[in-house]
Amino acid sequence: MELAEIFPPFGLRVEAGPLVLRPITDELLPELVELSMRGIHAPEAMPFFYPWTNAPVEEQPLNYARFHWGVRSNWNRDLWDLEFAVEYEGHLVGCQGFMTGSYLVTRTGETGSWLGREFQGRGIGTAMRQAICAFVFDHLDAEEVTSAAYTDNPASNAVSRKVGYQPNGVLRKTRRLGEWHPSQQWVLTPETFVRGPELRVSGVEAFRRFIGLDD
């Protein structure tokens, strides 16, 4: 059997112009680790709700691999996290995810991503978000998509606005140990979605069956 027959997320591929969302296999993990360790954000900043980049440098490679192994081993129809590696013009640039619970009922989930600092400021973050949102709206029957970012993360919040998300309140979220910061919540529907390039998708039929959309 092929690995994608056992775990259908490995069979997905989403292309949007020069951008590709591809499965995160074990063969790709070392390259993603190296990219993340070259820097995602300024040392004094923390854009992530779970501050994983604060871990000692020597612990980060195994921590990152454990995260993705956990995503696979904990997958079930009631709670899943679809994680893609992102390529832009043939270069590995970051990761884009879509996390959800009770998807067959709620038809919603939240996006999350990171982009290597060397590739930031070029519109790639917007293209990544447009691609994942178009994929879940057009191919997974999503009815809304949410996102969130700390209010001192202008880049992420700017992407949400560009893609058509609407403000959906502000929450207090923890950040570093003993610290909280306001988190801007966002919600996107097909009616407000600002689309990017047309998608070319493969592997979606098997994935829909895997998550229960086409039983």
Side-chain angles (χ1 to χ4, degrees):
M1 296 181 70
E2 297 291 331
L3 192 56
E5 295 178 73
I6 301 169
F7 189 63
F10 280 154
L12 288 172
R13 183 180 177 89
V14 179
E15 300 180 37
L19 183 138
V20 179
L21 305 181
R22 52 175 293 195
I24 299 177
T25 61
D26 281 354
E27 291 74 21
L28 196 58
L29 277 174
E31 192 175 351
L32 281 172
V33 168
E34 291 171 2
L35 175 63
S36 70
M37 294 182 70
R38 292 203 298 271
I40 300 172
H41 56 80
E44 67 277 8
M46 178 45 65
F48 304 124
F49 296 127
Y50 179 77
W52 59 277
T53 50
N54 265 5
V57 172
E58 65 274 12
E59 296 178 10
Q60 290 185 25
L62 182 55
N63 287 351
Y64 193 78
R66 280 174 171 162
F67 168 75
H68 285 287
W69 294 333
V71 165
R72 302 172 199 165
S73 65
N74 293 319
W75 189 293
N76 64 78
R77 287 186 177 182
D78 290 327
L79 187 68
W80 48 267
D81 182 352
L82 181 60
E83 294 285 334
F84 287 109
V86 181
E87 290 182 354
Y88 189 81
E89 296 181 339
H91 299 284
L92 189 66
V93 298
C95 286
Q96 176 67 64
F98 177 79
M99 299 140 282
T100 185
S102 302
Y103 184 75
L104 297 179
V105 177
T106 65
R107 291 295 199 272
T108 187
E110 182 154 315
T111 56
S113 64
W114 63 263
L115 184 64
R117 289 189 76 182
E118 61 209 89
F119 299 105
Q120 294 174 13
R122 296 166 49 183
I124 300 173
T126 300
M128 292 162 52
R129 191 89 68 86
Q130 288 172 316
I132 193 68
C133 291
F135 176 65
V136 298
F137 281 142
D138 298 347
H139 298 278
L140 301 185
D141 307 339
E143 296 175 3
E144 70 169 27
V145 178
T146 62
S147 188
Y150 290 120
T151 55
D152 62 357
N153 186 348
S156 180
N157 287 306
V159 166
S160 294
R161 285 190 291 270
K162 289 177 185 176
V163 176
Y165 288 74
Q166 301 302 302
N168 195 33
V170 177
L171 300 177
R172 291 187 177 197
K173 291 280 188 76
T174 57
R175 185 151 57 179
R176 296 184 177 92
L177 184 63
E179 174 190 346
W180 71 268
H181 197 84
S183 171
Q184 177 65 58
Q185 310 296 294
W186 299 93
V187 62
L188 179 69
T189 62
E191 293 74 26
T192 64
F193 180 32
V194 179
R195 291 178 174 272
E198 184 175 348
L199 300 188
R200 299 179 299 280
V201 176
S202 57
V204 71
E205 295 85 359
F207 184 74
R208 285 178 59 91
R209 292 192 297 270
F210 184 60
I211 62 175
L213 285 172
D214 292 335
D215 276 344

